[in-house]
Amino acid sequence: MNDKKPLMDYRRVQKLQTPLLLTGALLSGVGTSVSVPLVILGIAIMLFAIVIGVLYYRCPHCGRPLGRIGEGGAYCPHCGKALNAPVEEPVRSITVPAYAKLNLTLDILGKRDDGYHEMQMVMQTVSLHDDVTVTLTDGKGITCRVDGAALPCDERNLAVKAARAFCEAMDYGGGIDIALIKRIPSEAGMAGGSADAAAVLRALRELVSPTLTDERLEQISASVGSDVPFCIRGGTQLAEGRGEKLTVLKPAPRFFVAVCKPDFPISTPELFHRVDARTSRCRPDTDGICAALADGDMPRLARRMYNVFEDVLTHREGEIAAIKSRLLDGGALGAVMSGTGSAVFGLFADADSAAYAKRRLARDYQECFLTETIARLEI
Ligand code: C5P
């Protein structure tokens, strides 16, 4: 951002400097034989001419001093731009897509001392997305607006939490406005909040600090939530640790996906608690799914999808299994609950079967989506 733009145009300085210097010299010359105050006034005018030259005889584009080089030349010696070219306003607003994720697998390896769980998940970005507009404002603080869902606009919203984390990490004190257009269902296990947070961080890097490294951005994102680093990178990744340790996998082949989100949430801490209370459970074949990805073998991959949270669903949450059956009956190669639910999705080899399965589920469920896998994001 060009925040060094001079307050006075360099052409005005050029026009002012010579008459001021001449007047100052004349006054101090005449003053030596007439009065001392006149000499002082003359010197003050000359000093003023020198000071405005130092302060404001600067490139209108990059703000650096033009020195003597710029006097006759038409181009800035530093940035090379034509001095009389219109000055571009710095970009202060940007809209970024925030893509949803799906868990092809979810495994819990154990409970950690910090209260979190050691995870092993194969995660995939899909095209279903929110739109996140970040604007730098003249005021102070973070404001947020949400369209398309009833969500809080304070620190409980991960997008706001991400902006705060960025300001603290980068020592940025300017105002930030966040506008969210929501499409990703909430309480679905599709990282709707984390995706918005990641989009805010990507946008703020572009607007405020383009030299910030990917590693540092991911570090900041991990303090916002366990799924945010994945949402920064996207694509097909193995997520371990809390979910923040990522290994790039061979991108999944293009899948068509029918998603159905039943209208009940499942509490995330409650689900982890249920898993802790159980000893034996089925586990996903994570190595097998990574191998299927490496071979580009879609049916093998789809058959191996599994989420350990499905093991601890209660009778009340039996609809998850019912939706899975309907997706499989509709021709899905595999179906599974995503993350901590309650969204369930099926992978299809062709768009028509996915659309048909989605239409049938949409008769009974309000929140049904048709989407597809997408590759890693450019960060
Ligand atoms: O990191 P995040 O804020 O997304 O986590 C939300 C909650 O999910 C945590 O408070 C914790 O209860 C649970 N969690 C966990 N182990 C993880 C990730 C999340 O126990 N690896």
Side-chain angles (χ1 to χ4, degrees), residues 17 61 77 79 96 112 120 145 165 174 188 199 202 231 295 355 365 373:
Q17 231 179 359
H61 304 288
C79 68
V96 212
R112 309 182 348 170
Q120 197 171 49
R145 290 163 287 142
R202 291 158 62 103
C231 295
D295 295 344
Y365 297 96
T373 53

Side-chain angles (χ1 to χ4, degrees), residues 6-56:
L7 291 173
M8 196 187 296
D9 186 81
Y10 79 102
R11 282 163 291 208
R12 181 175 293 177
V13 177
Q14 241 174 354
K15 273 190 207 146
L16 277 176
Q17 231 179 359
T18 315
L20 281 174
L21 283 171
L22 284 175
T23 314
L26 193 71
L27 284 178
S28 46
V30 172
T32 40
S33 49
V34 180
S35 87
V36 176
L38 217 53
V39 178
I40 295 171
L41 181 65
I43 293 172
I45 290 173
M46 284 193 286
L47 278 177
F48 177 69
I50 292 166
V51 168
I52 61 166
V54 170
L55 289 181
Y56 301 123

